[in-house]
């Protein structure tokens, strides 16, 4: 008995009992860093750092917010009307839709439901920065697969799968790079996974993708036993401040997420505004058309700066990632754009110190950004003239 208890006694003696101790996997988390809205001096700037909709919010959604009369009441815990509207729009079973406090909540609880200590959660390098947090939060190990020119490499993802892999996260389009894989590649990824691995397709930017480029994720979620698709109202719907997300997938997966999601997790105003927004597809279409036109104009302006070492990565989202390989660095451009009144997203914390992610804004904003970048590139030290 003495031999059996000695190790435990020694372990107990080594513990710090002076204060509550967090789990090691929680201590390993680096907190999510949101896009900034102010300069180094704290002054507010034009915000092109968080991929918000430059057209704002649907007038119908704003009117719905004004109709919420009694904030003292709890909201519908199941968001029944909103789920029904989403199901009708996308041809889904409302019983197989779960609502979240943004899609972030759903990404976290998907990992929590299907992974834990000793398991692995897999995603591509330069994927959404919430994925490693979601993995560590439940005690699992985050695993990065190599990228293909900042985008998703299906073969690399499949090669990184091990017996410990339980969840694979795929942002499509990807944030922060804007890269995208089509229907055939997504189907190939899914076919290459074991049936006990949950594939989570994060479609936060799906409404910006042209209909004929649909990746087929919702079709997989209807038929496959191991595919969950998440979406958000924070981007094209212009409801980032209301924190509304949703997911669809197999009935048993949705059941698991419903067990651990927050109760009353979508507010009264969120449900009302979300329902009105879903029913105002004209606003969604206008937002998508605006984004296509302004993204194309901005990319063309950046291509004209190619001899200065600026490269716009192909994007299917409402932002463009710019790689700086010439005399003008991403950091200098980030600081220079702040001086010009704009805050963008510099990404050294995500392993992309040579890149800026810039949200597609209004025509005037994009012209100003392109002009400022040209001025800085022309003036960069060492630039041949």
């Amino acid at each position: 008995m003495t031999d059996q208890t000695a190790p435990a006694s020694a372990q107990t003696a080594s513990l710090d009992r002076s204060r509550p101790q967090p789990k090691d996997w929680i201590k390993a988390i680096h907190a999510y860093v949101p896009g900034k809205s102010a300069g180094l001096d704290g002054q507010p700037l034009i915000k092109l750092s968080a991929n918000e909709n430059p057209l704002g919010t649907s007038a119908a959604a704003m009117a719905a917010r004004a109709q919420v009369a009694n904030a003292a009441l709890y909201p519908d815990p199941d968001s029944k009307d909103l789920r029904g509207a989403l199901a009708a729009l996308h041809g889904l079973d409302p019983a197989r839709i779960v609502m979240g406090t943004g899609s972030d909540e759903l990404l976290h609880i998907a990992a929590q439901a299907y992974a834990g200590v000793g398991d692995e959660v897999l995603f591509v390098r330069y994927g959404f920065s919430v994925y490693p947090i979601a993995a560590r939060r439940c005690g699992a190990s985050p695993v990065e697969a190599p990228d293909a020119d900042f985008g998703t490499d299906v073969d690399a993802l499949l090669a990184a799968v091990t017996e410990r892999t339980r969840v694979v996260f795929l942002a499509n389009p990807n944030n922060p790079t804007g890269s995208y894989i089509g229907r055939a590649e997504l189907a190939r990824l899914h076919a290459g996974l074991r049936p006990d691995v949950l594939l989570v397709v994060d479609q936060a930017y799906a409404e910006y993708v042209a209909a004929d480029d649909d990746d087929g994720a919702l079709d997989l979620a209807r038929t496959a036993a191991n595919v969950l698709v998440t979406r958000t109202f924070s981007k094209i719907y212009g409801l980032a401040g209301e924190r509304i997300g949703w997911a669809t997938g197999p009935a048993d997966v949705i059941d698991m997420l419903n067990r651990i999601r927050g109760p009353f997790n979508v507010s009264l105003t969120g449900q009302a505004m979300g329902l009105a927004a879903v029913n105002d597809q004209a606003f969604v279409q206008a937002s998508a058309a605006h984004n296509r036109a302004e993204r194309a104009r901005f990319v063309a302006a950046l291509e004209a700066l190619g001899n200065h070492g600026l490269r716009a990565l192909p994007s299917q989202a409402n932002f463009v990632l710019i790689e700086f390989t010439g005399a003008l660095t991403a950091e200098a451009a980030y600081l220079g754009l702040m001086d010009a009144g704009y805050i963008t997203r510099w990404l050294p914390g995500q392993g992309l110190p040579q890149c800026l992610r810039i949200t597609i804004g209004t025509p005037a904003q994009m012209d100003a950004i392109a002009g400022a970048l040209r001025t800085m590139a022309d003036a960069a030290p060492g630039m041949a003239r």
Side-chain angles (χ1 to χ4, degrees):
M1 184 173 181
T2 301
D3 290 341
Q4 292 175 342
T5 58
S9 299
Q11 183 180 16
T12 300
S14 67
L15 293 176
D16 181 357
R17 301 289 191 180
S18 65
R19 60 179 62 84
Q21 297 298 313
K23 297 296 185 183
D24 289 341
W25 54 84
I26 300 297
K27 290 193 290 184
I29 291 174
H30 297 284
Y32 177 78
V33 179
K36 296 180 179 179
S37 57
L40 299 178
D41 59 0
Q43 293 299 310
L45 301 174
I46 296 172
K47 186 181 178 187
L48 297 178
S49 62
N51 305 334
E52 294 151 332
N53 189 333
L55 303 187
T57 305
S58 157
M62 294 302 292
R65 181 175 68 173
Q67 297 302 311
V68 176
N70 193 348
L73 301 178
Y74 282 106
D76 172 11
D78 298 316
S79 303
K80 182 179 178 181
D81 291 343
L82 182 50
R83 288 190 299 112
L86 288 166
L89 176 64
H90 296 288
L92 301 169
D93 179 355
R96 290 173 54 180
I97 294 176
V98 57
M99 304 304 300
T101 306
S103 56
D104 285 2
E105 180 189 21
L106 300 167
L107 299 172
H108 280 287
I109 64 177
Q112 183 182 354
Y114 290 93
V117 177
D119 296 329
E120 293 176 348
V121 172
L122 176 63
F123 45 89
V124 70
R125 181 186 296 144
Y126 311 128
F128 185 32
S129 57
V130 161
Y131 302 155
I133 298 174
R136 289 192 170 97
R137 182 178 174 183
C138 63
S141 299
V143 177
E144 284 188 353
D147 65 291
D149 192 24
F150 302 97
T152 297
D153 184 329
V154 169
D155 292 317
L157 273 171
L158 291 174
V161 174
T162 73
E163 286 301 312
R164 296 171 59 195
T165 305
R166 295 293 176 267
V167 176
V168 175
F169 282 124
L170 173 70
N172 204 41
N174 184 53
N175 176 22
T177 66
S179 64
Y180 186 73
I181 63 171
R183 181 181 291 263
E185 282 294 271
L186 181 59
R188 189 165 72 87
L189 172 61
H190 175 249
L193 295 174
R194 299 191 316 271
D196 65 311
V197 175
L198 180 68
L199 174 60
V200 180
V201 185
D202 175 358
Q203 289 195 321
Y205 299 90
E207 292 89 355
Y208 290 107
V209 178
D212 56 0
D213 286 334
D214 176 49
D215 65 8
L218 287 180
D219 292 335
L220 283 174
R222 290 184 189 95
T223 59
N226 64 335
V227 176
L228 180 75
V229 174
T230 65
R231 289 200 177 187
T232 183
F233 281 76
S234 297
K235 305 307 177 186
I236 206 164
Y237 283 104
L239 289 171
E242 292 298 323
R243 311 307 304 126
I244 315 164
W246 62 280
T248 186
D252 60 322
V253 173
I254 298 302
D255 176 50
M256 290 301 108
L257 301 192
N258 269 318
R259 295 183 188 205
I260 56 176
R261 67 172 172 83
F264 309 105
N265 59 345
V266 181
S267 70
L268 275 171
T269 54
Q271 290 184 39
M273 295 181 76
L275 180 60
V278 169
N279 290 327
D280 187 4
Q281 287 299 303
F283 176 81
V284 173
Q285 293 163 13
S287 296
H290 168 89
N291 185 71
R292 282 193 300 273
E294 290 309 311
R295 186 180 63 199
R297 282 201 325 114
F298 185 52
V299 167
L302 293 171
E303 287 174 346
L305 297 176
N307 62 325
H308 292 271
L310 276 68
R311 178 171 76 114
L313 273 67
S315 175
Q316 289 270 22
N318 68 336
F319 58 85
V320 172
L321 188 74
I322 307 171
E323 183 185 20
F324 292 77
T325 60
L328 177 63
T329 67
E331 181 179 13
Y334 172 70
L335 295 173
L337 288 173
M338 278 200 285
D339 289 340
Y342 294 87
I343 188 75
T344 60
R345 190 72 181 261
W346 181 40
L347 297 160
Q350 290 183 247
L352 293 166
Q354 78 281 26
C355 295
L356 286 187
R357 191 194 70 190
I358 300 180
T359 304
I360 300 301
T362 67
Q365 290 167 355
M366 302 321 294
D367 287 344
I369 291 281
L373 288 173
R374 172 169 287 283
T375 298
M376 287 186 282
D378 285 341
M383 178 60 203
R385 293 175 174 82

